[in-house]
Amino acid sequence: MKKIIIIAEAGVNHNGDIEKAKQLIDAAADAKVDYVKFQTFKANKLVTQNSKKAYYQVENTNDDSSQFDMLKKLELSKQMHFELIEHCEKRNVKFLSTGFDIDSLLFLKSVGIELAKVPSGELTNLPYLRTMAENFKQIILSTGMASMKEVTDAFKVMLDCGVLKENITILHCNTEYPTPMKDVNLLAMLDIQRKLDVSIGYSDHTLGIEVPVAATALGATVIEKHFTLDRNLPGPDHLASLEPLELKQMVESIRNIETAISGSGIKEPSPSELKNRPVARKSIVAIAPIKSGEVLTIDNIGIKRPGTGISPMKWDEVLGATSNKDYSIDDLINI
């Protein structure tokens, strides 16, 4: 079983501040995630000047200015990328970023990023998908807001462009921040796996850590979760993000579940529990004094711990047998 990849999504929770971005890297490294992921874009290539915010963005920012105005303040410059990559190297955590336009994808490739992620909003962007497939060998597709047909179509674009199926992971996702539990539909992740025979994962926007942990138990190979330094900070994604301590708890929980489901799958006693079997199980014992030659009946034999004698599963064989020796009360029967 491959190690589950945990991606801590810093996204735009740096609020355009390079020092906050570095602090996010520190928090991700402390939580022992595999990747810390940012977002790479130029506002003027991502949205029109008068494009409206999503409803959750208006609610979370208490500001109905345009998407362009919001995103312009959240851009990371090329120099910022270099600094963040260097800081990730210092903290021994892998840097990742989602490119939201073709130029951003090519920039990420130029700085050595080998794993690319399709954000949910770009799943139906054919030129973008082709550019990604032609430039990156490892692909993650996020599928928020998508129908199964749209997921299948994007997947086919990747395959047609030469990306190997084993190098693609598809993340089930719901693009509402935060996602109501009734809308998670986690079993859809398994539906994707059944229909496309592909590695699956989950990108989570619910509050708390329960759903990513559940996704791990169901077989997710990649888990992505937004995190922030403080949910009270201004910005569109902070309210649906984990704080640093919660991120640590999520990672620890996922690793525990990862270990718990990594066994042989065969029902058999584990090495750790074998020592408890003689103590917890029972044997057939004398419940009254028994003389040699006496018949064993329900009046002189019973079942008690420890389990170091004859198993009670052989009760029918022992009952009615003739004792071959004398027994005191609580002696293990041995015929």
Side-chain angles (χ1 to χ4, degrees):
M1 177 178 173
K2 290 184 179 179
K3 180 185 175 187
I4 294 166
I5 295 172
I6 302 176
I7 301 172
E9 170 71 66
V12 294
N13 283 345
H14 49 75
N15 288 359
D17 182 337
I18 187 67
E19 292 308 316
K20 275 193 175 63
K22 290 178 181 178
Q23 290 169 19
L24 285 162
I25 291 171
D26 291 337
D30 290 343
K32 295 183 170 55
V33 304
D34 298 293
Y35 290 89
V36 55
K37 188 171 77 64
F38 293 90
Q39 295 179 5
T40 303
F41 58 84
K42 289 297 181 186
N44 63 355
K45 294 188 177 180
L46 183 56
V47 295
T48 60
Q49 294 277 343
N50 56 1
S51 182
K52 293 182 178 180
K53 288 179 181 176
Y55 177 76
Y56 80 87
Q57 292 173 333
V58 175
E59 279 226 318
N60 291 353
T61 61
N62 197 28
D63 179 359
D64 62 357
S65 60
S66 70
Q67 260 203 75
F68 178 86
D69 291 339
M70 176 186 72
L71 292 172
K72 189 65 182 172
K73 299 171 185 175
L74 300 173
E75 290 179 358
L76 291 173
S77 68
K78 288 184 178 181
Q79 182 56 40
M80 285 178 171
H81 280 79
F82 297 138
E83 288 187 43
L84 296 180
I85 291 170
E86 182 180 4
H87 196 67
C88 282
E89 290 171 352
K90 287 180 182 176
R91 290 306 317 269
N92 198 30
V93 63
K94 295 176 183 176
F95 174 89
L96 196 61
S97 188
T98 298
F100 280 78
D101 55 76
I102 288 174
D103 287 349
S104 294
L105 285 179
L106 297 178
F107 167 70
L108 291 170
K109 182 185 179 183
S110 75
V111 297
I113 304 302
E114 298 179 349
L115 172 62
K117 181 181 177 240
V118 178
S120 294
E122 305 305 322
L123 193 73
T124 57
N125 183 342
L126 181 58
Y128 172 94
L129 294 175
R130 283 178 175 158
T131 299
M132 181 179 286
E134 290 164 0
N135 286 278
F136 296 88
K137 293 181 179 178
Q138 297 282 339
I139 306 289
I140 295 174
L141 285 84
S142 203
T143 60
M145 306 173 290
S147 66
M148 191 63 214
K149 182 181 185 307
E150 290 170 330
V151 174
T152 302
D153 289 347
F155 182 57
K156 187 174 184 299
V157 171
M158 295 295 168
L159 297 178
D160 289 347
C161 290
V163 181
L164 299 177
K165 182 166 69 172
E166 54 265 34
N167 292 337
I168 300 172
T169 302
I170 299 180
L171 307 186
H172 175 50
C173 177
N174 180 290
T175 308
E176 173 66 348
Y177 299 76
T179 300
M181 286 294 178
K182 64 182 178 62
D183 290 343
V184 169
N185 192 20
L186 193 54
L187 293 180
M189 180 180 74
L190 301 183
D191 189 48
I192 293 169
Q193 185 180 47
R194 279 192 298 269
K195 288 177 176 172
L196 299 182
D197 187 29
V198 66
S199 293
I200 52 168
Y202 178 63
S203 178
D204 186 51
H205 300 130
T206 63
L207 298 175
I209 67 173
E210 300 100 320
V211 182
V213 174
T216 300
L218 285 175
T221 60
V222 174
I223 295 291
E224 178 183 79
K225 180 75 172 179
H226 278 264
F227 78 109
T228 179
L229 299 173
D230 183 346
R231 265 194 295 273
N232 294 314
L233 288 169
D237 296 339
H238 294 285
L239 286 175
S241 300
L242 298 179
E243 292 184 341
L245 180 58
E246 295 168 314
L247 181 64
K248 281 186 180 181
Q249 291 170 337
M250 186 192 78
V251 173
E252 289 170 1
S253 297
I254 287 172
R255 295 301 178 213
N256 284 339
I257 296 301
E258 182 177 35
T259 301
I261 63 175
S262 66
S264 67
I266 298 168
K267 179 54 187 170
E268 57 187 354
S270 72
S272 66
E273 68 179 339
L274 278 173
K275 65 182 182 297
N276 298 323
R277 190 155 62 177
V279 177
R281 289 190 173 176
K282 294 179 177 177
S283 303
I284 300 175
V285 304
I287 60 172
I290 301 172
K291 296 293 184 181
S292 180
E294 188 176 343
V295 175
L296 303 179
T297 71
I298 59 172
D299 295 321
N300 58 21
I301 63 171
I303 298 169
K304 295 183 182 182
R305 291 176 177 173
T308 53
I310 296 176
S311 168
M313 291 299 287
K314 295 187 176 181
W315 178 259
D316 291 345
E317 298 175 32
V318 175
L319 198 64
T322 301
S323 173
N324 58 5
K325 57 180 283 191
D326 293 345
Y327 291 98
S328 299
I329 292 175
D330 283 346
D331 283 350
L332 297 176
I333 298 297
N334 181 16
I335 62 169

